[in-house]
Protein backbone atom coordinates (compact mmCIF):
# COMPACT_ATOMS: atom_id res chain seq x y z
CA UNK A 1 0.00 0.00 0.00
CA UNK A 2 1.35 3.46 -0.76
CA UNK A 3 0.11 6.94 0.06
CA UNK A 4 0.59 10.53 -1.06
CA UNK A 5 0.88 13.68 1.14
CA UNK A 6 -1.98 14.84 3.33
CA UNK A 7 -3.42 17.28 0.83
CA UNK A 8 -4.19 14.41 -1.54
CA UNK A 9 -6.87 11.80 -0.99
CA UNK A 10 -5.61 8.55 0.45
CA UNK A 11 -7.24 5.14 0.63
CA UNK A 12 -6.21 2.07 2.62
CA UNK A 13 -6.46 -1.39 1.07
CA UNK A 14 -6.76 -4.52 3.24
CA UNK A 15 -4.61 -7.25 1.67
CA UNK A 16 -5.79 -9.84 4.29
CA UNK A 17 -2.41 -11.22 5.33
CA UNK A 18 -1.31 -12.28 8.79
CA UNK A 19 1.48 -9.84 9.56
CA UNK A 20 1.94 -8.11 12.91
CA UNK A 21 4.49 -5.38 12.42
CA UNK A 22 3.47 -2.32 10.41
CA UNK A 23 5.64 0.59 9.40
CA UNK A 24 4.25 3.86 8.08
CA UNK A 25 6.08 6.72 6.38
CA UNK A 26 4.75 9.97 4.88
CA UNK A 27 5.20 8.91 1.27
CA UNK A 28 4.39 5.24 1.58
CA UNK A 29 3.22 2.49 3.85
CA UNK A 30 4.75 -0.94 4.21
CA UNK A 31 4.23 -3.81 6.56
CA UNK A 32 3.82 -7.43 7.03
CA UNK A 33 1.55 -6.67 5.31
CA UNK A 34 0.03 -3.13 5.63
CA UNK A 35 0.29 0.06 7.64
CA UNK A 36 -1.65 3.14 8.78
CA UNK A 37 -0.55 6.50 7.41
CA UNK A 38 1.83 8.74 9.34
CA UNK A 39 2.09 12.25 7.94
CA UNK A 40 4.83 13.47 10.29
CA UNK A 41 7.57 13.84 7.72
CA UNK A 42 10.44 13.21 10.16
CA UNK A 43 9.31 9.91 11.64
CA UNK A 44 8.25 6.39 10.85
CA UNK A 45 5.65 4.60 12.96
CA UNK A 46 5.63 0.96 14.03
CA UNK A 47 2.14 -0.37 14.61
CA UNK A 48 1.19 -3.67 16.32
CA UNK A 49 -1.79 -5.08 14.43
CA UNK A 50 -2.74 -7.43 17.25
CA UNK A 51 -2.73 -4.76 19.95
CA UNK A 52 -3.99 -2.20 17.43
CA UNK A 53 -1.71 0.47 18.74
CA UNK A 54 1.47 2.35 17.93
CA UNK A 55 4.45 0.70 19.62
CA UNK A 56 7.28 2.94 18.42
CA UNK A 57 8.01 6.12 16.54
CA UNK A 58 11.49 6.50 15.06
CA UNK A 59 13.01 9.77 13.91
CA UNK A 60 14.54 9.69 10.42
CA UNK A 61 15.64 12.63 8.23
CA UNK A 62 13.29 12.26 5.24
CA UNK A 63 11.40 8.92 5.21
CA UNK A 64 9.46 8.13 2.06
CA UNK A 65 8.70 4.53 1.11
CA UNK A 66 9.22 1.45 3.31
CA UNK A 67 9.31 -2.34 3.19
CA UNK A 68 9.22 -4.92 5.99
CA UNK A 69 10.74 -8.40 6.00
CA UNK A 70 8.36 -11.36 6.05
CA UNK A 71 9.41 -12.18 9.62
CA UNK A 72 8.81 -8.59 10.67
CA UNK A 73 12.24 -8.23 12.30
CA UNK A 74 13.61 -5.67 9.83
CA UNK A 75 12.14 -2.58 8.23
CA UNK A 76 13.81 -0.86 5.28
CA UNK A 77 12.97 2.84 4.93
CA UNK A 78 14.10 5.06 2.07
CA UNK A 79 15.23 8.58 2.99
CA UNK A 80 14.13 10.82 0.15
CA UNK A 81 16.63 13.68 0.48
CA UNK A 82 19.67 12.02 2.07
CA UNK A 83 19.59 9.21 -0.51
CA UNK A 84 20.01 6.07 1.59
CA UNK A 85 17.92 3.25 3.04
CA UNK A 86 17.65 2.94 6.83
CA UNK A 87 17.62 -0.62 8.19
CA UNK A 88 15.48 -0.74 11.34
CA UNK A 89 15.66 -3.55 13.89
CA UNK A 90 12.03 -3.93 15.02
CA UNK A 91 12.78 -6.69 17.57
CA UNK A 92 14.44 -4.32 20.05
CA UNK A 93 12.53 -2.92 23.01
CA UNK A 94 13.19 0.44 21.40
CA UNK A 95 13.43 -0.20 17.64
CA UNK A 96 16.21 1.79 15.98
CA UNK A 97 18.29 2.21 12.84
CA UNK A 98 21.15 -0.31 12.79
CA UNK A 99 22.49 0.17 9.26
CA UNK A 100 22.41 2.52 6.28
CA UNK A 101 22.37 1.17 2.71
CA UNK A 102 23.98 3.83 0.55
CA UNK A 103 22.63 4.64 -2.89
CA UNK A 104 24.42 6.13 -5.93
CA UNK A 105 24.84 9.92 -6.16
CA UNK A 106 22.03 11.79 -7.89
CA UNK A 107 22.38 12.59 -11.58
CA UNK A 108 19.52 15.00 -12.11
CA UNK A 109 15.91 15.41 -11.14
CA UNK A 110 16.20 18.68 -9.19
CA UNK A 111 15.28 18.21 -5.53
CA UNK A 112 13.97 14.72 -6.20
CA UNK A 113 16.86 12.52 -5.13
CA UNK A 114 15.47 9.15 -4.09
CA UNK A 115 14.76 6.49 -3.23
CA UNK A 116 11.18 6.87 -4.41
CA UNK A 117 10.35 3.20 -3.76
CA UNK A 118 11.78 0.42 -1.57
CA UNK A 119 10.67 -3.18 -2.18
CA UNK A 120 11.67 -6.64 -0.91
CA UNK A 121 11.59 -9.68 -3.19
CA UNK A 122 8.86 -12.22 -2.44
CA UNK A 123 11.49 -14.72 -1.25
CA UNK A 124 12.91 -12.08 1.11
CA UNK A 125 16.46 -12.32 -0.22
CA UNK A 126 16.82 -9.04 -2.13
CA UNK A 127 15.95 -5.38 -1.79
CA UNK A 128 15.13 -3.14 -4.77
CA UNK A 129 15.10 0.66 -4.77
CA UNK A 130 14.07 3.19 -7.39
CA UNK A 131 16.59 6.03 -7.25
CA UNK A 132 14.63 8.89 -8.78
CA UNK A 133 17.32 11.55 -8.99
CA UNK A 134 20.04 9.00 -9.70
CA UNK A 135 18.37 7.69 -12.87
CA UNK A 136 19.03 4.20 -11.56
CA UNK A 137 17.50 1.29 -9.74
CA UNK A 138 19.60 -0.54 -7.19
CA UNK A 139 19.50 -4.19 -6.13
CA UNK A 140 20.81 -5.29 -2.71
CA UNK A 141 21.56 -8.88 -1.66
CA UNK A 142 20.12 -9.08 1.87
CA UNK A 143 21.47 -12.59 2.51
CA UNK A 144 25.12 -11.81 1.79
CA UNK A 145 25.09 -8.13 2.70
CA UNK A 146 26.94 -7.18 -0.48
CA UNK A 147 26.89 -3.56 -1.78
CA UNK A 148 24.01 -2.58 -3.98
CA UNK A 149 24.29 -3.18 -7.73
CA UNK A 150 22.91 -0.26 -9.74
CA UNK A 151 21.58 -0.16 -13.30
CA UNK A 152 21.35 3.17 -15.14
CA UNK A 153 18.33 4.30 -17.13
CA UNK A 154 17.75 7.13 -19.59
CA UNK A 155 14.89 8.67 -17.62
CA UNK A 156 14.08 9.10 -13.93
CA UNK A 157 13.18 5.87 -12.12
CA UNK A 158 9.98 6.43 -10.16
CA UNK A 159 8.99 2.91 -9.07
CA UNK A 160 10.52 -0.57 -9.13
CA UNK A 161 9.19 -3.93 -7.91
CA UNK A 162 9.81 -7.66 -8.34
CA UNK A 163 7.56 -9.79 -10.52
CA UNK A 164 5.37 -12.36 -8.79
CA UNK A 165 8.01 -15.08 -9.14
CA UNK A 166 10.98 -12.73 -8.50
CA UNK A 167 12.46 -13.54 -11.93
CA UNK A 168 11.94 -10.01 -13.32
CA UNK A 169 12.24 -6.42 -12.20
CA UNK A 170 9.39 -4.09 -13.19
CA UNK A 171 10.61 -0.50 -13.43
CA UNK A 172 8.58 2.66 -14.16
CA UNK A 173 10.50 5.63 -15.58
CA UNK A 174 9.44 9.23 -16.14
CA UNK A 175 10.84 12.04 -18.26
CA UNK A 176 12.32 15.02 -16.41
CA UNK A 177 9.29 17.17 -17.18
CA UNK A 178 7.01 14.94 -15.14
CA UNK A 179 8.56 16.11 -11.87
CA UNK A 180 9.50 19.68 -12.73
CA UNK A 181 7.81 22.84 -11.52
CA UNK A 182 4.78 22.68 -9.28
CA UNK A 183 3.21 19.62 -10.90
CA UNK A 184 4.39 16.24 -9.70
CA UNK A 185 2.79 14.52 -12.68
CA UNK A 186 2.42 15.83 -16.21
CA UNK A 187 -0.02 13.33 -17.67
CA UNK A 188 0.65 14.31 -21.27
CA UNK A 189 4.25 13.04 -21.32
CA UNK A 190 5.29 9.45 -21.99
CA UNK A 191 6.18 6.92 -19.33
CA UNK A 192 7.84 3.54 -19.65
CA UNK A 193 7.37 0.19 -17.92
CA UNK A 194 10.74 -1.51 -18.28
CA UNK A 195 11.07 -5.25 -17.68
CA UNK A 196 14.51 -6.53 -16.66
CA UNK A 197 15.85 -10.02 -15.99
CA UNK A 198 16.38 -10.06 -12.20
CA UNK A 199 19.63 -12.08 -12.47
CA UNK A 200 21.38 -10.61 -15.50
CA UNK A 201 19.78 -7.12 -15.22
CA UNK A 202 19.32 -7.17 -18.99
CA UNK A 203 16.40 -5.19 -20.39
CA UNK A 204 13.83 -7.59 -21.87
CA UNK A 205 10.93 -5.34 -22.80
CA UNK A 206 9.96 -1.67 -22.93
CA UNK A 207 6.22 -0.99 -22.60
CA UNK A 208 5.64 2.64 -23.58
CA UNK A 209 2.70 4.85 -22.63
CA UNK A 210 1.78 8.28 -23.94
CA UNK A 211 0.32 9.18 -20.53
CA UNK A 212 1.78 9.02 -17.05
CA UNK A 213 1.84 5.71 -15.19
CA UNK A 214 2.60 5.84 -11.48
CA UNK A 215 2.89 2.47 -9.78
CA UNK A 216 3.15 -1.24 -10.54
CA UNK A 217 2.39 -4.21 -8.29
CA UNK A 218 2.84 -7.95 -8.85
CA UNK A 219 1.09 -10.39 -6.47
CA UNK A 220 3.39 -13.19 -5.23
CA UNK A 221 3.21 -16.41 -7.21
CA UNK A 222 1.03 -14.88 -9.93
CA UNK A 223 2.01 -13.96 -13.49
CA UNK A 224 -0.13 -10.81 -13.59
CA UNK A 225 1.12 -7.29 -12.98
CA UNK A 226 -1.06 -4.27 -12.24
CA UNK A 227 -0.14 -0.72 -13.26
CA UNK A 228 -1.90 2.43 -12.05
CA UNK A 229 -2.33 5.11 -14.71
CA UNK A 230 -2.94 8.85 -14.39
CA UNK A 231 -6.32 8.61 -16.06
CA UNK A 232 -7.93 6.75 -13.12
CA UNK A 233 -7.43 3.19 -14.35
CA UNK A 234 -5.50 0.13 -13.19
CA UNK A 235 -4.05 -1.78 -16.13
CA UNK A 236 -3.63 -5.56 -15.97
CA UNK A 237 -0.76 -7.31 -17.78
CA UNK A 238 -0.16 -11.03 -18.18
CA UNK A 239 3.11 -12.89 -17.64
CA UNK A 240 4.36 -11.82 -21.08
CA UNK A 241 3.40 -8.22 -20.26
CA UNK A 242 0.67 -8.01 -22.82
CA UNK A 243 -2.24 -5.79 -21.78
CA UNK A 244 -5.20 -8.00 -20.81
CA UNK A 245 -7.61 -5.61 -19.12
CA UNK A 246 -8.33 -2.28 -17.45
CA UNK A 247 -9.99 -1.74 -14.08
CA UNK A 248 -11.55 1.70 -13.38
CA UNK A 249 -10.91 3.13 -9.91
Amino acid sequence: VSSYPAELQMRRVDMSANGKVEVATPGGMAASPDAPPDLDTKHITIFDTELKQVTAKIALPSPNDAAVSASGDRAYVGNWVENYVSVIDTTLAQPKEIQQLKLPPKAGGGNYVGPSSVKISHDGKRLLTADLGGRKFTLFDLENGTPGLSTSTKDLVHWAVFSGDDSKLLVITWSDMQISGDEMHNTTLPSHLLIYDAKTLQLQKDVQWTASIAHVAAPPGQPNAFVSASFGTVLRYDGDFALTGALPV
Side-chain angles (χ1 to χ4, degrees), residues 2 33 38 41 51 55 81 83 102 125 137-138 159 198 202 241:
S2 70
D38 180 355
T41 59
L51 299 176
T55 58
V81 177
N83 200 32
K102 301 295 185 180
K125 297 180 180 180
F137 59 89
T138 302
W159 203 254
Q202 295 297 310
F241 295 94

Side-chain angles (χ1 to χ4, degrees), residues 102-104 138-141 145-150:
K102 301 295 185 180
L103 294 170
T138 302
L139 195 61
F140 293 90
D141 186 329
T146 53
L149 181 62
S150 296

Side-chain angles (χ1 to χ4, degrees), residues 8 25 39 44 52-53 73 79 100 141 152 165 173 221 233 246:
L8 300 181
T25 72
L39 298 173
I44 64 167
K52 296 184 179 180
Q53 66 183 30
D73 62 346
N79 288 285
Q100 294 180 358
D141 186 329
S152 298
D165 61 0
T173 63
T233 302

Side-chain angles (χ1 to χ4, degrees), residues 188-199:
T188 64
L189 292 172
S191 302
H192 297 257
L193 172 61
L194 307 177
I195 296 93
Y196 289 84
D197 184 285
K199 290 184 178 180

Side-chain angles (χ1 to χ4, degrees), residues 8-233:
L8 300 181
Q9 183 179 2
M10 181 167 53
R11 290 190 296 174
R12 182 179 175 182
V13 180
D14 183 2
M15 301 302 290
S16 301
N18 299 318
K20 178 179 179 180
V21 177
E22 297 184 339
V23 173
T25 72
M29 294 182 287
S32 47
D34 64 31
D38 180 355
L39 298 173
D40 181 345
T41 59
K42 297 294 184 180
H43 291 81
I44 64 167
T45 298
I46 297 180
F47 188 86
D48 189 313
T49 60
E50 293 181 357
L51 299 176
K52 296 184 179 180
Q53 66 183 30
V54 172
T55 58
K57 207 168 189 178
I58 304 168
L60 290 175
S62 56
N64 182 41
D65 199 26
V68 177
S69 63
S71 62
D73 62 346
R74 294 288 186 272
Y76 301 87
V77 185
N79 288 285
W80 180 253
V81 177
E82 288 72 17
N83 200 32
Y84 67 85
V85 176
S86 296
V87 183
I88 308 296
D89 187 339
T90 64
T91 66
L92 301 174
Q94 295 294 325
K96 65 179 182 179
E97 181 186 77
I98 59 172
Q99 185 182 1
Q100 294 180 358
L101 303 179
K102 301 295 185 180
L103 294 170
K106 63 177 287 187
N111 293 327
Y112 298 95
V113 180
S116 53
S117 72
V118 178
K119 306 300 172 191
I120 297 176
S121 59
H122 299 298
D123 63 12
K125 297 180 180 180
R126 292 169 292 174
L127 183 79
L128 178 64
T129 66
D131 312 330
L132 187 62
R135 300 177 189 271
K136 294 174 179 164
F137 59 89
T138 302
L139 195 61
F140 293 90
D141 186 329
L142 298 179
E143 283 194 318
N144 300 323
T146 53
L149 181 62
S150 296
T151 300
S152 298
T153 60
K154 175 185 175 183
D155 293 321
L156 303 174
V157 181
H158 168 62
W159 203 254
V161 304
F162 294 88
S163 63
D165 61 0
D166 289 334
S167 67
K168 297 178 177 63
L169 307 179
L170 316 181
V171 180
I172 289 178
T173 63
W174 289 347
S175 68
D176 287 9
M177 291 298 294
Q178 284 173 288
I179 60 168
S180 64
D182 295 329
E183 293 186 4
M184 182 64 179
H185 301 268
N186 182 334
T187 60
T188 64
L189 292 172
S191 302
H192 297 257
L193 172 61
L194 307 177
I195 296 93
Y196 289 84
D197 184 285
K199 290 184 178 180
T200 66
L201 299 182
Q202 295 297 310
L203 180 63
Q204 295 183 328
K205 192 169 185 178
D206 181 352
V207 181
Q208 300 184 39
W209 278 91
T210 56
S212 176
I213 55 177
H215 302 92
V216 57
Q222 298 185 25
N224 294 323
F226 299 89
V227 176
S228 64
S230 61
F231 41 86
T233 302

